[in-house]
C-alpha cells in the first residue's frame, strides 16, 4: 500500500480514514508479518496528524482509532469478567516418554491401531507471560480480560488497548457478529532490560523477571504506565467460531484478521516429529526475544478434538511439554538466617547475582541445616543453582572440583539472629526455632501474615510498610493497623499523599472478610487455609444468625463460641485432628491472644455472616465428608489446583496422611506419604481414578 504523505485538507474524513488505515497497516506489518515498512518517526508524524485532525473534527472520533490506545481508566477496570467458554489449563508432559504416552492416549482415544496413519499435531512455543482473552464486536476491539481462575477474570481493556500488537480494528469482518481470541501478553527481553536500565538510572528498585513485570503491568491502574512498558502479545486460539476444520486453519484465520500469531507454530505428523520440534526449540528458544517455558502440542483436526473431549477441565487433545529446569553455576557468597513468624530459623544462600530462566536470582533457599550438611555446601563454593517455573530457586549441589580450600563450613547460629534468644530444636524436628514469643522478627512475620494474601489481604501493606510501622511502635498488634490515620502513612519513607490515601482506603476496605480468612490471618500454629475453612464452617453451623442481628454482633458471638470451645469439641470437627484441636484450644485459652482477638472486634473487624436463620449444611458434592491428601506431581493439576478441585467437590484437602484420610492421590515422584498411606491401609488413587471421583464416579 502506498503511504499517504501529503495532507488533503479538502476532505478531513477521507484523510482520517487514510491515516488510520496506514497506521493499522504499519502495525500489522510490524507485529503480524514481521516486515516493518514504516520508520518510527514517520509513524509518529502520521499519528500526530491524525490526533490533530480528530481534535479539530470531533465528529470523526472513533474508539478503534490508533489515537485511542491510551485513555483514562474507566471504572470498569478490574471488574469481573465471566468467560463464556472457560480458559482451560493443559496437562503437562515432562520428557520424551511422557510425550509418547500422550500420543498413545490420543491414538487410543481415536481408536487408531498400529497400522493407522500418524496423528497430525500443531506444535507451538509456550510463551511465559499472562494469558488473556480479547473480544471484538464486528471489527472493533471491545474488551480484554485476564484468565483469572479460568472461569472468571478481570477486565483490563484500557491497559490492553495500549499494547500495539493487539489490533483495535480487524482487517476483515470476523465470521460471526462477535469474536473472541486468546493469547499471551509478554514483555520482550529487550523491553525488560531497557526498563530495568531506566529504573537503575532513576535509583529505583529493579524488577526481577519479565513475566511478573508483564503481569503486573497488565494489572495496574494507569493505562499510560502500561503504554510506556512496550508489552507485546502472541495469539493462539479463537473460540466460538463454527466451521473451522482444524487448529491450523484457525491460526490462519487469526493472521488474516490481523492478529499476531507466533511464526514458529508448526504442523507436524506423528510423535517423532513432535519430539524433533521440542528438541530443536530446547536450544533455539534461548535466542528469542521473549521467554518460553515449554511447547504446547495440540491435535490439529477439530473432529478428532471433539472425539477426544475432556477429562475434568483439561482437554485430552492437548498437552504442555515443560522444558527441564534450568541450571546455572554461581558462587555461594554468604549464608544468612531468617526468622519466620513461627520462629523457624531458615538459612538462605546469598549468591552472586545470575539470570536463570529470565529471572535474576540473588538468594536461594537452603531449607535447613540438615540439607546443607547432606549436600556438603560451604561458603565460597561454586554451586549449581536450579529454578523450575515459578518455584523458588534452589541450590542443588556444590561443584567439588572448583574448591580451592578457601571455602568454609557453615554452622547454624546457636541463638536467634534478631533477638539473641538461644535457639531450640524440638525432638524429631529438623527446624531450629527462636522460642521467644516477643521476638520482633516473629512479630513482624505475624503482622505480615495478618495483612497478607491468605489473611486480611490489605494491598500495599507489605514488608517495607509493616516493618517501618512496627519499628516506630505504631503497629504492636494486628488491630493497630485499623486505628492509623492517612497522615501516619504519609510520614513513612517514600510515601506520597496518594499512596498513603490508597493504603488507608485498602485498610478500611479490609475490615470485612470471610470468617475463614479472619481465622487464618491470626496465624494460629497448625492452622492453615484448609483448617481455617473447616473451623469457619463449624462455627457458622454452631452459631445461627438471629433475626435482626447485625454482622458485628454475630461475629462477636462466633468469637465467644470459639474461645469457649474445648479440645474435645474441636477434635470432633470434620478435618481437625487431635494435635491441631489442642493447638487451637490452647491458643484461645491464653489471655493475651483473647485480647488480640477482642481488639480486632473493637476495631470494627467483622466476618461475612450468613442470612438470619440460615442453617449451613455440611458440604455437598461427590467428595462430601471425605478427606483426600495429594502427593507428588500430577499431570493435569498443580498442587493448589488439585486441592481446589477437592474443596469444590465438597471434600477436605488434608496436608498429611493419617488414619482419618480417605484417599491418597498419588502423582509422579511421590514421597514418604505413599509409604505412610500403605502402612495405615489408606486407599491410593492415581490421577485417572482421582478424576473419576471428582466427576462423581466411584474410585
Ligand atoms: Zn528471636
Amino acid at each position: 500500500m502506498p503511504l499517504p504523505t501529503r495532507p488533503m485538507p479538502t476532505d478531513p474524513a477521507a484523510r482520517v480514514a487514510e491515516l488510520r488505515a496506514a497506521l493499522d497497516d504499519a502495525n500489522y506489518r510490524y507485529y503480524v508479518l514481521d516486515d516493518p515498512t514504516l520508520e518510527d518517526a514517520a509513524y509518529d508524524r502520521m499519528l500526530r496528524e491524525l490526533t490533530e485532525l480528530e481534535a479539530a473534527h470531533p465528529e470523526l472520533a472513533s474508539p478503534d482509532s490508533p489515537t485511542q490506545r491510551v485513555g483514562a481508566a474507566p471504572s470498569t477496570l478490574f471488574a469481573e469478567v465471566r468467560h463464556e467458554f472457560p480458559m482451560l489449563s493443559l496437562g503437562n508432559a515432562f520428557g520424551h516418554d511422557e510425550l509418547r504416552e500422550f500420543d498413545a492416549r490420543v491414538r487410543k482415544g481415536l481408536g487408531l491401531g498400529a497400522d493407522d496413519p500418524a496423528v497430525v499435531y500443531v506444535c507451538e512455543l509456550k510463551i511465559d507471560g499472562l494469558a488473556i482473552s480479547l473480544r471484538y464486536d464486528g471489527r472493533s476491539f471491545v474488551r480484554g480480560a485476564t484468565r483469572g481462575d479460568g472461569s472468571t477474570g478481570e477486565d483490563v481493556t484500557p491497559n490492553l488497548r495500549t499494547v500495539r500488537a493487539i489490533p483495535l480494528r480487524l482487517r476483515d469482518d470476523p465470521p460471526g457478529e462477535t469474536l473472541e481470541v486468546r493469547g499471551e501478553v509478554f514483555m520482550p527481553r529487550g523491553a525488560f532490560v531497557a526498563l530495568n536500565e531506566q529504573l537503575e538510572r532513576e535509583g529505583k528498585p529493579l524488577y526481577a523477571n519479565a513475566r511478573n513485570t508483564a503481569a503486573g503491568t497488565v494489572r495496574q491502574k494507569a493505562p499510560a504506565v502500561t503504554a510506556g512498558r512496550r508489552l507485546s502479545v502472541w495469539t493462539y486460539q479463537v473460540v466460538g467460531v463454527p466451521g473451522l476444520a482444524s487448529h491450523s486453519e484457525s491460526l490462519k484465520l487469526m493472521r488474516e484478521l490481523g492478529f499476531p500469531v507466533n511464526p514458529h507454530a508448526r504442523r507436524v505428523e506423528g510423535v517423532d516429529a513432535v519430539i524433533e520440534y521440542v528438541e530443536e526449540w530446547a536450544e533455539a528458544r534461548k535466542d528469542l526475544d521473549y521467554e518460553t517455558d515449554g511447547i504446547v502440542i495440540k491435535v490439529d483436526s477439530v473432529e478428532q478434538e471433539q472425539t477426544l473431549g475432556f477429562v475434568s477441565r483439561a482437554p485430552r487433545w492437548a498437552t504442555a511439554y515443560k522444558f527441564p529446569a534450568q541450571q546455572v553455576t554461581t558462587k555461594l557468597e554468604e549464608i544468612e538466617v531468617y526468622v519466620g513468624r513461627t520462629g523457624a530459623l531458615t538459612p538462605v544462600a546469598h549468591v552472586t547475582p545470575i539470570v536463570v530462566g529470565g529471572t535474576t536470582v540473588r538468594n536461594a533457599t537452603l531449607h535447613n541445616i540438615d540439607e546443607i550438611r547432606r549436600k556438603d555446601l560451604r561458603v565460597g563454593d561454586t554451586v549449581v543453582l536450579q529454578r523450575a517455573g515459578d518455584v523458588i530457586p534452589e541450590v542443588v549441589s556444590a561443584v567439588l572440583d572448583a574448591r580451592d580450600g578457601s571455602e568454609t563450613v557453615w554452622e547454624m547460629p546457636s541463638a536467634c539472629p534478631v533477638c539473641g534468644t538461644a535457639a531450640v530444636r524440638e525432638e524429631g524436628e529438623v527446624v531450629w526455632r527462636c522460642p521467644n514469643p516477643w521476638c520482633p522478627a516473629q512479630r513482624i512475620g505475624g503482622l505480615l501474615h495478618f495483612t497478607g494474601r491468605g489473611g486480611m489481604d490489605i494491598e500495599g501493606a507489605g514488608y517495607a510498610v509493616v516493618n517501618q510501622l512496627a519499628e516506630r511502635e505504631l503497629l504492636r498488634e494486628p488491630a493497630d493497623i485499623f486505628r492509623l490515620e492517612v497522615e501516619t502513612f504519609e510520614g513513612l519513607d517514600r510515601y506520597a499523599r496518594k499512596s498513603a490515601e490508597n493504603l488507608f482506603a485498602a485498610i478500611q476496605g479490609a475490615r470485612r472478610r470471610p470468617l475463614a480468612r479472619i481465622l487464618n490471618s491470626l496465624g494460629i500454629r497448625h492452622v492453615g487455609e484448609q483448617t481455617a475453612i473447616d473451623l469457619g464452617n463449624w462455627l457458622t453451623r454452631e452459631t445461627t444468625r438471629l433475626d435482626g442481628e447485625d454482622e458485628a454482633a454475630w461475629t462477636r458471638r462466633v468469637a465467644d463460641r470459639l474461645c469457649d470451645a474445648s479440645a474435645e469439641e474441636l477434635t470432633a470437627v470434620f478435618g481437625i485432628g487431635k494435635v491441631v484441636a489442642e493447638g487451637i484450644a490452647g491458643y484461645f485459652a491464653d489471655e493475651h491472644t483473647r485480647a488480640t482477638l477482642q481488639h480486632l472486634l473493637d476495631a470494627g473487624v467483622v466476618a461475612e455472616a450468613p442470612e438470619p436463620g440460615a442453617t449451613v449444611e455440611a458440604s455437598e458434592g461427590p467428595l462430601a465428608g471425605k478427606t483426600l491428601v495429594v502427593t507428588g506431581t500430577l499431570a493435569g493439576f498443580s498442587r493448589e489446583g488439585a486441592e481446589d478441585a477437592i474443596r469444590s467437590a465438597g471434600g477436605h484437602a488434608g496436608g498429611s496422611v493419617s488414619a482419618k484420610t480417605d484417599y491418597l492421590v498419588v502423582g509422579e515422584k511421590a514421597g514418604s506419604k505413599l509409604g505412610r498411606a500403605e502402612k495405615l491401609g489408606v486407599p491410593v488413587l492415581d490421577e485417572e481414578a482421582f478424576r473419576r471421583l471428582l466427576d462423581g464416579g466411584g474410585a
Side-chain angles (χ1 to χ4, degrees):
M1 165 188 258
L3 299 173
T5 48
R6 280 169 295 116
M8 287 177 281
T10 45
D11 185 359
R15 179 64 183 162
V16 161
E18 197 176 21
L19 285 166
R20 283 179 189 164
L23 290 165
D24 283 344
D25 198 58
N27 267 353
Y28 172 70
R29 287 184 171 278
Y30 187 92
Y31 291 104
V32 182
L33 303 183
D34 192 21
D35 176 25
T37 48
L38 195 58
E39 280 178 23
D40 285 355
Y43 185 95
D44 292 343
R45 204 163 50 233
M46 281 162 53
L47 189 64
R48 204 160 51 237
E49 187 191 342
L50 180 60
T51 309
E52 284 164 8
L53 270 173
E54 286 179 356
H57 301 275
E59 74 280 5
L60 298 176
S62 164
D64 57 15
S65 168
T67 58
Q68 299 303 301
R69 290 215 175 256
V70 186
S75 59
T76 49
L77 183 61
F78 305 137
E80 271 190 9
V81 171
R82 193 132 187 103
H83 299 298
E84 200 178 326
F85 302 91
M87 291 179 78
L88 306 166
S89 47
L90 300 180
N92 291 329
F94 298 89
H96 297 181
D97 289 350
E98 293 193 16
L99 284 174
R100 292 191 187 282
E101 285 166 21
F102 166 72
D103 179 60
R105 282 199 301 276
V106 166
R107 293 184 66 84
K108 192 171 162 224
L110 295 173
L112 297 177
D115 299 331
D116 288 310
V119 177
V120 175
Y121 296 103
V122 174
C123 299
E124 293 165 69
L125 300 175
K126 190 169 175 297
I127 311 298
D128 196 11
L130 180 74
I132 48 149
S133 109
L134 306 169
R135 192 186 159 97
Y136 291 76
D137 280 354
R139 290 194 186 188
S140 291
F141 174 57
V142 291
R143 193 188 69 197
T146 60
R147 178 179 182 279
D149 63 3
S151 38
T152 310
E154 284 176 326
D155 190 324
V156 287
T157 313
N159 291 341
L160 291 180
R161 291 183 78 88
T162 69
V163 178
R164 272 180 56 188
I166 296 176
L168 297 184
R169 189 171 168 75
L170 302 180
R171 298 179 64 78
D172 205 345
D173 289 329
E177 279 176 17
T178 64
L179 179 79
E180 189 182 328
V181 302
R182 272 111 190 234
E184 197 90 356
V185 174
F186 62 95
M187 181 172 278
R189 285 182 199 189
F192 179 66
V193 169
L195 174 65
N196 265 346
E197 281 170 0
Q198 186 196 331
L199 291 171
E200 193 159 22
R201 278 196 301 275
E202 294 168 1
K204 292 181 181 160
L206 307 188
Y207 286 104
N209 81 55
R211 193 211 160 272
N212 292 352
T213 313
T217 302
V218 168
R219 293 193 63 264
Q220 58 83 49
K221 286 166 190 155
V225 174
T226 315
R229 293 274 178 87
R230 290 167 52 199
L231 297 179
S232 196
V233 72
W234 293 120
T235 53
Y236 51 70
Q237 190 191 7
V238 46
V239 285
V241 175
L244 290 169
S246 67
H247 179 59
S248 38
E249 236 175 69
S250 68
L251 294 179
K252 187 165 162 278
L253 171 71
M254 283 192 282
R255 273 199 193 102
E256 284 165 0
L257 292 174
F259 291 103
V261 174
N262 190 284
H264 306 300
R266 192 186 301 163
R267 194 170 173 274
V268 301
E269 282 178 35
V271 69
D272 288 332
V274 169
I275 289 172
E276 214 171 280
Y277 182 93
V278 160
E279 280 307 287
E280 182 184 327
W281 284 101
E283 274 308 308
R285 70 194 186 107
K286 291 170 187 162
D287 299 328
L288 295 168
D289 187 35
Y290 39 87
E291 301 292 341
T292 52
D293 58 356
I295 303 287
V296 174
I297 298 125
K298 294 176 184 160
V299 170
D300 192 34
S301 153
V302 168
E303 198 189 329
Q304 290 185 338
E305 284 179 8
Q306 283 162 353
T307 308
L308 291 162
F310 293 80
V311 210
S312 276
R313 270 162 279 177
R316 281 199 180 90
W317 41 266
T319 192
Y321 171 85
K322 292 295 185 87
F323 290 125
Q326 297 199 44
Q327 293 193 339
V328 291
T329 55
T330 184
K331 192 175 167 194
L332 174 53
E333 292 182 345
E334 199 191 334
I335 297 175
E336 199 179 343
V337 170
Y338 283 81
V339 188
R341 79 181 156 90
T342 61
L345 305 181
T346 307
V348 172
H350 295 303
V351 298
T352 309
I354 185 154
V355 178
V356 202
T359 296
T360 307
V361 174
R362 294 180 173 81
N363 307 313
T365 177
L366 294 168
H367 304 288
N368 54 58
I369 184 68
D370 293 7
E371 194 79 3
I372 296 172
R373 289 277 172 279
R374 195 175 59 75
K375 292 176 179 169
D376 185 24
L377 303 176
R378 301 181 189 178
V379 176
D381 263 341
T382 299
V383 290
V384 177
L385 197 78
Q386 169 172 302
R387 181 176 166 269
D390 283 341
V391 182
I392 300 166
E394 186 187 18
V395 176
V396 183
S397 60
V399 182
L400 299 180
D401 290 346
R403 278 188 183 159
D404 63 10
S406 68
E407 299 78 15
T408 50
V409 173
W410 185 79
E411 293 295 342
M412 192 77 188
S414 57
C416 169
V418 175
C419 70
T421 307
V424 295
R425 171 137 99 165
E426 280 168 31
E427 186 79 24
E429 280 207 25
V430 287
V431 175
W432 286 87
R433 285 178 202 281
C434 164
N436 172 11
W438 312 108
C439 174
Q442 291 184 48
R443 197 168 53 129
I444 287 173
L447 289 166
L448 278 170
H449 177 75
F450 178 78
T451 60
R453 282 223 145 162
M456 303 303 270
D457 196 11
I458 303 174
E459 201 182 332
Y463 179 78
V465 167
V466 168
N467 192 37
Q468 283 188 64
L469 292 171
E471 270 182 358
R472 296 174 197 196
E473 294 290 318
L474 293 167
L475 195 54
R476 281 174 301 246
E477 59 161 1
D480 288 339
I481 200 160
F482 294 106
R483 303 191 188 106
L484 299 174
E485 300 293 336
V486 183
E487 288 70 30
T488 315
F489 304 127
E490 229 180 331
L492 300 178
D493 288 351
R494 292 210 242 174
Y495 248 65
R497 179 80 193 175
K498 188 71 201 143
S499 25
E501 279 171 2
N502 288 344
L503 177 55
F504 182 76
I507 292 168
Q508 305 320 308
R511 279 203 169 86
R512 183 172 179 271
R513 289 288 182 242
L515 180 57
R517 282 280 206 80
I518 298 174
L519 294 169
N520 193 34
S521 78
L522 297 173
I524 308 164
R525 199 161 166 205
H526 301 306
V527 174
E529 223 163 306
Q530 178 68 53
T531 307
I533 292 170
D534 293 333
L535 190 57
N537 286 343
W538 175 71
L539 285 166
T540 307
R541 277 200 299 281
E542 288 284 301
T543 323
T544 307
R545 188 174 167 194
L546 309 172
D547 268 334
E549 187 177 39
D550 65 12
E551 287 194 322
W554 181 76
T555 308
R556 281 183 188 278
R557 281 207 298 128
V558 168
D560 289 344
R561 182 72 188 85
L562 178 58
C563 289
D564 291 343
S566 67
E568 292 71 41
E569 256 184 311
L570 291 167
T571 311
V573 174
F574 172 61
I576 296 179
K578 191 162 174 284
V579 175
V580 179
E582 281 168 359
I584 298 169
Y587 179 88
F588 289 106
D590 182 87
E591 279 304 315
H592 179 75
T593 51
R594 275 186 194 230
T596 304
L597 180 62
Q598 193 58 47
H599 295 162
L600 279 175
L601 301 177
D602 294 345
V605 168
V606 296
E608 293 171 10
E611 288 302 310
T615 47
V616 183
E617 294 301 320
S619 59
E620 284 177 37
L623 298 184
K626 298 269 185 274
T627 297
L628 283 79
V629 176
V630 183
T631 185
T633 312
L634 300 175
F637 298 92
S638 64
R639 174 64 55 85
E640 279 179 354
E643 291 179 353
D644 279 351
I646 291 169
R647 281 177 207 139
S648 37
H652 169 91
S656 57
V657 176
S658 74
K660 281 188 174 181
T661 309
D662 290 286
Y663 298 104
L664 178 70
V665 181
V666 177
E668 287 289 305
K669 301 193 185 107
S672 59
K673 284 177 188 168
L674 180 56
R676 187 161 162 75
E678 280 162 353
K679 209 168 115 195
L680 292 169
V682 172
V684 172
L685 304 180
D686 65 8
E687 190 165 348
E688 282 286 321
F690 174 50
R691 287 184 189 280
R692 277 201 301 279
L693 202 63
L694 285 175
D695 290 342

